[in-house]
Amino acid sequence: MIYFDNAATSFPKPDVVYESVMKAMKEYGANPGRSGHKLALRLGREIFETRELLANLFNIKNPMNLIFTFNCTESLNIAIKGILEKGDHVITTSMEHNSVLRPIKAMERQGVEITIVKGDSAGRINPKDIEKSIKKNTKLIITTHISNLTGTIMPIEEIGKITKKKGIYFLVDAAQSAGVYPIDVEKMNIDMLAFPGHKGLLGPQGTGGLYIREGLDVRELSQGGTGSVSYELEQPNILPDRYESGTLNGPGIIGLGAGVKYIMEKGMDSIRKHEEELTMHFIEEITKINNVKVYGPLNVEEQGAVVSINIGNQDSSEISYILDQSYNIEVRPGIHCAPIAHETMGTLEQGTVRFSFGPFNTHEEIELGIKAIREISNQL
């Protein structure tokens, strides 16, 4: 089986991730922060170690400003719904995932004004278009770091300079970039950073996080037990407890920490270089095949390890089915939870067949994928 669906979730994980999750479950699977015995304390310490590892990865000064969630979507909901209020204006882009678009549409029903800046034919966003869209009541700018449809890398550092100059909050969706592309929340002027644990960070599903800049008041979405200030009926204001009600996914977070350690040991630059080489290999060969249309910038300077294609006018789900059933190649067809991005690309009706590569894919697999597409194209 050849797995080219890493944009949905990375697979396989490093062996050390599986081993760490199992060890945490079997040896110290207690409830962190709720008890004073050694098992609970050990899990609590290792969860904090993962928090420190992630803080170091993203240049977050205070690890306590990084909260754990169950996925990037939860992180984005906390950030968006916790900062916007009636009368506010939010700017986002046409290349966003529904995990951004649906929460802001929900806020629109509560009186929040939305501007969606359109990308070009390759999914690029011009920071000047974002700056032109700023109004007196603009409170938040949200952009993905890398498009999950075209792999287009957004100029978040340039956008961060604009938000800092204008005194506007900046939220970055790092679903496709965390763990592969360098992110420095200080240098890039990022006020909130949402990320999943199960993609580029190589952790288990059910893990994610949200960085909130020091002093930024974001309303929590839920309240409950935190194991701290338990004598009070109001939710505590201390971080990360304010946003971490209920029992954390301890074993999952331990596995996430193992994934981050693996990345640091291998070197993020080394992992990214490998993925860039795979992506360029695929683009160079796939663009030579008749009847195949490829979307995005089509160069690794502007594109992550995500490549969307179509073959003629064939439905993307049909192509994906053939790849799965006849070639044992796993890809993702359809709209990819990014309908406005597909409108931007002109692919809303057809969808696309998305290939997304990870650290454990090989050039041999790329060749087999290209061979399959060539054969399918010749048969249609």
Side-chain angles (χ1 to χ4, degrees), residues 38-278:
K38 56 182 174 292
L39 293 183
L41 291 173
R42 180 178 176 186
L43 188 58
R45 282 195 298 270
E46 295 208 18
I47 286 173
F48 183 72
E49 182 183 346
T50 299
R51 209 184 298 271
E52 286 186 310
L53 286 166
L54 288 163
N56 184 52
L57 190 69
F58 301 131
N59 192 26
I60 295 168
K61 293 179 178 178
N62 182 0
M64 306 304 272
N65 288 339
L66 192 151
I67 66 171
F68 287 117
T69 61
F70 292 108
N71 47 54
C72 192
T73 299
E74 183 184 14
S75 299
L76 289 164
N77 271 268
I78 293 169
I80 292 166
K81 296 175 181 177
I83 205 75
L84 291 174
E85 299 176 306
K86 182 179 180 179
D88 289 338
H89 175 233
V90 58
I91 299 170
T92 191
T93 82
S94 70
M95 301 307 295
E96 304 305 311
H97 191 276
N98 274 342
S99 54
V100 167
L101 296 172
R102 286 178 174 175
I104 64 171
K105 289 298 287 183
M107 295 305 294
E108 185 178 42
R109 293 193 292 273
Q110 297 184 32
V112 171
E113 185 182 357
I114 302 170
T115 296
I116 299 176
V117 174
K118 189 173 181 181
D120 67 12
S121 60
R124 303 182 192 92
I125 298 295
N126 188 338
K128 292 181 181 178
D129 292 337
I130 289 178
E131 189 165 17
K132 289 175 186 174
S133 302
I134 293 173
K135 303 180 179 183
K136 287 184 179 179
N137 62 331
T138 303
K139 190 174 188 180
L140 179 66
I141 292 175
I142 311 168
T143 179
T144 186
H145 190 179
I146 294 178
S147 166
N148 77 312
L149 170 60
T150 59
T152 308
I153 302 171
M154 305 302 170
I156 60 171
E157 189 167 346
E158 292 178 56
I159 297 169
K161 290 176 182 176
I162 293 169
T163 60
K164 185 177 182 181
K165 180 177 70 174
K166 298 289 186 177
I168 298 166
Y169 298 130
F170 187 28
L171 167 60
V172 172
D173 174 5
Q176 300 299 332
S177 60
V180 184
Y181 288 78
I183 298 173
D184 184 327
V185 298
E186 295 296 326
K187 182 182 178 184
M188 295 173 169
N189 297 303
I190 297 170
D191 295 294
M192 294 178 286
L193 179 74
F195 60 90
H198 66 100
K199 297 187 182 186
L201 290 169
L202 305 177
Q205 294 174 352
T207 60
L210 175 67
Y211 159 69
I212 301 173
R213 185 178 292 280
E214 189 78 42
L216 181 54
D217 185 24
V218 178
R219 295 183 303 277
E220 72 277 6
L221 291 190
S222 60
Q223 296 80 30
T226 60
S228 59
V229 202
S230 295
Y231 50 84
E232 290 188 1
L233 298 183
E234 297 293 329
Q235 189 76 359
N237 279 322
I238 56 173
L239 269 67
D241 299 30
R242 181 179 179 183
Y243 307 98
E244 291 183 352
S245 293
T247 300
L248 291 172
N249 178 8
I253 293 169
I254 301 307
L256 173 56
V260 176
K261 286 180 185 176
Y262 176 89
I263 291 166
M264 290 178 168
E265 288 168 5
K266 290 284 289 186
M268 188 189 296
D269 291 345
S270 174
I271 292 172
R272 185 175 63 257
K273 185 174 184 293
H274 175 68
E275 292 188 7
E276 287 174 346
E277 289 171 352
L278 295 175

